[in-house]
């Protein structure tokens, strides 16, 4: 009884007060006393679990780990607690970025669940391990593991909600795997299955019947969190494919649902979902010509990161990358370079690294006098030779950057070769933005070479695609080319219409540019060190050149 009393007091103090010392004292006593009493499993292991959580909150991770190992060692006859403690220690290793130890523990858990006859929890362990292997880019190990998981999930006959939630977990891993590889077209069947799956779950009622096997007493995510997650991967897909209005629609839905959930639930995963959604919609806004809104949303991400050091450490590189992209959009090239350089220093993620290097190369190309640095960067993202990541999309973008550089150097045949590679790759996977950019640049090359018919064949579809996305910069570029092409061919009416379009796009972009640069948040472009700044001083007005914009 004494151990149970200490556990109850420790639990109340831990969950409902800020009195960590007293909570720790009671939980340590509960853990100590319960180990000396046989058949006191629930008290013993709950005390161990809570105590290790408390140690982690106090940054005493090295005290939490041996405690959890001891509890795991003595809980093998208690399937629920043995599995739960294995998950807990694996999560602790994951937070410390020790993914190898976490994967080992999840493997141990999967084998234990198989032995105690819980195929459901075995699948949870294996899917969790698959998620970590994807994070580590161990693709050779991921494929057979996901195949095995697919078989287990399909064969398992149990609670329909549990079965469907396993399918959601499995399909989310498959979809993110495809998107990481930049395979926007290939992912569509999986994404469709995932969307159908979440619809099925939302029609099912939560059964209160507890599983007969205590090892099955787990669930991956609440139903409402899964809905937000499916919206999130749909937004990721829409943004990569260049369906930006669709991305906007699903972001709005997801953010609305997140606001409702956060009123009742302070789970940190909701803030992570919110930050990832905002990161994607910010990129969309920069493409559609809504820089001022993008800047305010970047500021929102800063505020969310101020509330959580872990969130900031996980998203600092992405935040500086977004600021770099914003700087390009308002023609602040020195600031863009500083932001990308900071992001490169902060990231260990290979795909993000390649994305940043590609954008930094575009900054050097625009500046026109950074050839040494540019050659060095281009060598590191050479799409013809040892490209550093397996992403189809990033490799296509690397060909585009090479084409852009060759164009600026007047090496038009070489530029055409690179751009045709980009077109081939972007058409294969429906990468609409890269297709539009490549077409308009090819159109520009043919125009410079005096081949007006071929130029027109490129620019017209570029304009149509850019309007569909919509991509404001490509529309501005295409309308200028159409104006000049029609003028050169003596088509006065069409030239006038294109000139009018160009004027409209210029005005819209100019107004947005002035609005963005006059926001106090514009000062964020100078932040390159430490946590995000808390306040911004209002500026007197825009300080950036508009020359390259029009």
């Amino acid at each position: 009884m004494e151990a149970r009393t200490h556990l109850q007091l420790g639990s109340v103090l831990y969950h409902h007060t800020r009195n960590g010392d007293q909570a720790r004292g009671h939980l340590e006593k509960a853990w100590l006393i319960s180990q000396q009493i046989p058949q006191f499993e629930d008290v013993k292991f709950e005390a161990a679990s809570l105590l290790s959580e408390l140690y982690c909150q106090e940054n005493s991770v090295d005290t939490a780990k041996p405690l959890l190992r001891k509890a795991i060692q003595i809980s093998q006859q208690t399937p629920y607690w043995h599995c739960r403690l294995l998950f807990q220690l694996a999560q602790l290793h994951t937070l410390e970025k020790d993914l190898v130890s976490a994967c080992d523990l999840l493997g141990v858990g999967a084998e234990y669940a198989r032995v105690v006859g819980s195929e459901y929890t075995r699948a949870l362990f294996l899917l969790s391990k698959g998620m970590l292997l994807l994070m580590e880019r161990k693709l050779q190990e991921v494929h057979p593991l996901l195949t095995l998981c697919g078989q287990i999930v399909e064969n398992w006959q149990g609670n329909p909600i549990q079965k469907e939630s396993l399918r959601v977990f499995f399909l989310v891993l498959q979809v993110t795997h495809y998107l990481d590889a930049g395979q926007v077209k290939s992912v569509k069947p999986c994404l469709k299955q995932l969307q159908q799956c979440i619809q099925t779950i939302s029609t099912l009622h939560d059964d209160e019947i507890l599983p007969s096997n205590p090892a099955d007493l787990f669930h991956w995510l609440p139903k409402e969190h899964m809905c937000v997650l499916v919206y999130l991967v749909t937004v990721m897909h829409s943004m990569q494919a260049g369906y930006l209005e669709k991305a906007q629609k699903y972001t709005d839905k997801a953010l609305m649902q997140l606001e409702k959930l956060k009123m009742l639930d302070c789970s940190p995963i909701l803030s992570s979902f919110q930050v990832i959604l905002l990161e994607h919609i910010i990129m969309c806004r920069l493409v559609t010509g809504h820089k001022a809104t993008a800047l305010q949303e970047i500021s929102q991400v800063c505020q969310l990161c101020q509330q959580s050091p872990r969130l900031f450490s996980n998203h600092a590189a992405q935040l500086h990358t977004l600021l770099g992209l914003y700087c390009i959009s308002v023609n602040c090239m020195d600031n863009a370079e500083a932001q990308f350089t900071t992001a490169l220093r902060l990231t260990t993620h290979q795909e993000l690294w390649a994305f940043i290097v590609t954008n930094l190369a575009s900054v050097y190309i625009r500046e026109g006098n950074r050839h040494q640095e540019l050659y060095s960067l281009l060598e590191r993202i050479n799409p013809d030779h040892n490209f550093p990541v397996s992403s189809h999309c990033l490799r296509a973008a690397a060909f585009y950057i090479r084409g852009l550089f060759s164009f600026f150097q007047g090496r038009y045949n070489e530029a055409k070769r690179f751009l045709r590679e980009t077109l081939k790759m972007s058409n294969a996977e429906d990468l609409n933005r890269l297709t539009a950019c490549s077409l308009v640049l090819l159109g520009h090359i043919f125009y410079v070479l005096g081949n007006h018919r071929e130029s027109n064949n490129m620019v017209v579809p570029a304009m149509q695609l850019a309007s569909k996305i919509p991509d404001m910069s490509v529309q501005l570029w295409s309308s200028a080319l159409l104006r000049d092409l029609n003028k050169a061919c003596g088509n006065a009416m069409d030239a006038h219409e294109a000139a009018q379009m160009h004027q409209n796009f210029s005005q819209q972009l100019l107004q947005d540019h002035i609005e963005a640069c006059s926001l106090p948040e514009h000062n964020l472009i100078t932040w390159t060190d430490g946590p995000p700044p808390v306040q911004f001083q209002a500026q007197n007005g825009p300080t950036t050149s508009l020359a390259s914009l029009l």
Side-chain angles (χ1 to χ4, degrees):
M1 281 303 291
E2 191 189 350
R4 191 178 295 281
T5 306
H6 280 300
L7 171 63
Q8 286 166 343
L9 283 167
S11 179
V12 168
L13 287 163
Y14 172 62
H15 287 118
H16 303 292
T17 74
R18 291 171 182 267
N19 200 332
D21 289 350
Q22 278 194 12
R24 189 183 340 102
H26 284 295
L27 291 170
E28 282 172 344
K29 280 178 188 162
W31 167 238
L32 199 67
I33 296 166
S34 61
Q35 284 179 80
Q36 292 149 19
I37 308 167
Q39 312 305 312
F40 229 46
E41 266 70 13
D42 275 1
V43 172
K44 188 188 307 177
F45 300 127
E46 191 173 342
S49 177
L50 279 176
L51 190 53
S52 65
E53 267 184 46
L54 182 62
Y55 285 149
C56 290
Q57 272 192 7
E58 295 173 341
N59 293 323
S60 304
V61 175
D62 290 337
T63 317
K65 281 193 266 190
L67 167 65
L68 281 172
R69 283 193 205 103
K70 173 81 186 291
I72 287 166
Q73 193 184 342
I74 60 176
S75 63
Q76 292 193 27
Q77 301 310 310
T78 318
Y80 167 72
W81 277 108
H82 190 65
C83 291
R84 182 168 156 177
L85 293 163
L86 279 166
F87 275 126
Q88 194 173 344
L89 185 54
Q91 186 176 18
L92 185 50
H93 282 301
T94 304
L95 292 173
E96 286 204 302
K97 306 240 183 336
D98 178 4
L99 300 189
V100 174
S101 300
C103 280
D104 288 346
L105 282 163
L106 293 168
V108 168
E111 181 53 25
Y112 175 83
R114 187 188 67 78
V115 169
V116 297
S118 172
E119 286 295 284
Y120 168 75
T121 302
R122 181 187 175 204
L124 274 183
F125 274 115
L126 289 173
L127 288 165
S128 302
K129 184 178 178 180
M131 181 171 69
L132 298 189
L133 290 172
L134 278 175
M135 285 165 67
E136 279 197 287
R137 298 292 175 268
K138 291 192 171 169
L139 303 184
Q140 254 56 48
E141 292 175 53
V142 168
H143 295 143
L145 186 70
L146 283 182
T147 305
L148 173 62
C149 288
Q151 290 162 357
I152 295 171
V153 172
E154 288 313 310
N155 294 336
W156 186 69
Q157 301 302 318
N159 177 316
I161 282 203
Q162 282 185 308
K163 184 178 175 80
E164 289 303 311
S165 76
L166 283 180
R167 289 190 75 219
V168 169
F169 195 171
F170 171 68
L171 288 165
V172 163
L173 291 187
Q174 283 210 306
V175 168
T176 47
H177 181 31
Y178 274 118
L179 291 178
D180 262 358
Q183 294 175 321
V184 171
K185 189 176 183 178
S186 310
V187 76
K188 282 181 181 176
C190 275
L191 185 58
K192 199 168 183 184
Q193 269 183 287
L194 177 58
Q195 289 161 343
Q196 286 165 346
C197 202
I198 202 71
Q199 283 178 328
T200 305
I201 284 189
S202 56
T203 62
L204 294 171
H205 295 291
D206 291 316
D207 294 329
E208 291 303 317
I209 308 155
L210 289 176
S212 54
N213 189 337
D216 284 350
L217 282 165
F218 295 95
H219 69 144
W220 175 49
L221 277 178
K223 217 164 35 170
E224 299 77 12
H225 291 200
M226 281 191 260
C227 285
V228 175
L229 182 57
V230 173
Y231 281 142
L232 174 54
V233 294
T234 305
V235 167
M236 289 165 74
H237 175 261
S238 302
M239 197 215 74
Q240 272 201 38
Y243 306 128
L244 302 193
E245 282 169 353
K246 188 177 172 186
Q248 174 69 65
K249 185 179 89 174
Y250 281 107
T251 300
D252 290 344
K253 284 185 177 185
L255 288 174
M256 215 156 61
Q257 196 153 342
L258 274 171
E259 286 308 314
K260 285 183 201 163
L261 288 173
K262 285 180 93 172
M263 287 175 193
L264 310 164
D265 181 351
C266 57
S267 168
I269 198 170
L270 296 179
S271 294
S272 295
F273 286 165
Q274 195 176 353
V275 165
I276 298 167
L277 275 163
L278 285 167
E279 285 170 355
H280 282 80
I281 203 60
I282 287 161
M283 288 190 275
C284 293
R285 302 242 199 252
L286 292 173
V287 173
T288 56
H290 298 96
K291 297 183 273 288
T293 313
L295 186 56
Q296 286 162 330
E297 285 163 341
I298 290 173
S299 173
Q300 210 181 325
V301 175
C302 287
Q303 285 160 25
L304 285 164
C305 287
Q306 278 160 9
Q307 295 159 23
S308 162
R310 180 173 294 140
L311 201 56
F312 177 62
S313 97
N314 288 339
H315 291 269
Q318 290 91 317
L319 199 41
H320 285 288
T321 304
L322 291 170
L323 279 167
L325 296 173
Y326 167 75
C327 290
I328 290 178
S329 77
V330 291
N331 197 33
C332 295
M333 294 304 165
D334 289 348
N335 298 101
E337 181 183 352
Q339 291 297 338
F340 289 139
T341 307
T342 303
L344 285 173
R345 193 181 73 237
L346 293 170
T347 191
T348 53
H349 187 284
Q350 273 194 307
E351 274 78 5
L352 181 58
W353 177 89
F355 179 77
I356 298 163
V357 168
T358 305
N359 282 287
L360 184 55
S362 82
V363 170
Y364 289 155
I365 289 170
R366 287 165 205 231
E367 288 186 315
N369 57 355
R370 306 295 294 277
H371 289 145
Q372 209 46 54
E373 294 101 321
L374 182 56
Y375 283 123
S376 158
L377 279 187
L378 291 177
E379 204 40 58
R380 295 162 82 185
I381 50 162
N382 184 345
D384 283 321
H385 180 66
N386 288 340
F387 191 65
V389 291
S390 59
S391 169
H392 182 92
C393 180
L394 286 169
R395 188 162 169 258
F399 275 119
Y400 176 77
I401 284 294
R402 292 246 159 184
L404 188 66
F405 183 45
S406 300
F407 165 73
F408 273 105
Q409 291 206 309
R411 299 200 305 267
Y412 298 128
N413 284 335
E414 185 180 87
K416 283 191 280 184
R417 180 183 86 76
F418 287 130
L419 293 170
R420 283 181 179 132
E421 281 298 326
T422 306
L423 274 178
K424 195 164 73 183
M425 292 185 76
S426 57
N427 283 333
E429 283 292 345
D430 289 350
L431 304 169
N432 288 331
R433 279 204 66 223
L434 269 175
T435 301
C437 290
S438 304
L439 284 171
V440 73
L441 184 48
L442 274 168
H444 202 131
I445 290 167
F446 284 119
Y447 176 73
V448 171
L449 293 172
N451 188 340
H452 294 164
R453 201 169 108 237
E454 200 59 44
S455 177
N456 197 61
N457 289 345
M458 300 291 158
V459 179
V460 170
M463 186 61 158
Q464 288 165 345
L465 197 49
S467 307
K468 196 173 105 182
I469 291 170
D471 185 323
M472 206 61 162
S473 301
V474 175
Q475 284 176 296
L476 185 75
W477 190 356
S478 301
S479 58
L481 270 172
L482 283 172
R483 176 196 62 200
D484 296 345
L485 267 170
N486 283 305
K487 205 184 285 180
C489 297
N491 305 330
M493 288 283 288
D494 291 343
H496 178 73
E497 192 185 325
Q500 197 55 57
M501 275 199 304
H502 185 260
Q503 180 65 22
N504 293 343
F505 292 135
S506 297
Q507 281 305 311
Q508 284 176 52
L509 280 164
L510 182 56
Q511 281 167 3
D512 181 46
H513 184 107
I514 292 168
E515 188 188 341
C517 295
S518 55
L519 287 171
E521 291 89 344
H522 182 74
N523 283 332
L524 271 173
I525 68 172
T526 60
W527 161 60
T528 54
D529 198 28
V534 180
Q535 287 177 317
F536 314 100
Q537 300 304 312
Q539 295 206 154
N540 298 325
T543 56
T544 53
S545 153
L546 303 175
S548 79
L549 193 70
L550 304 177

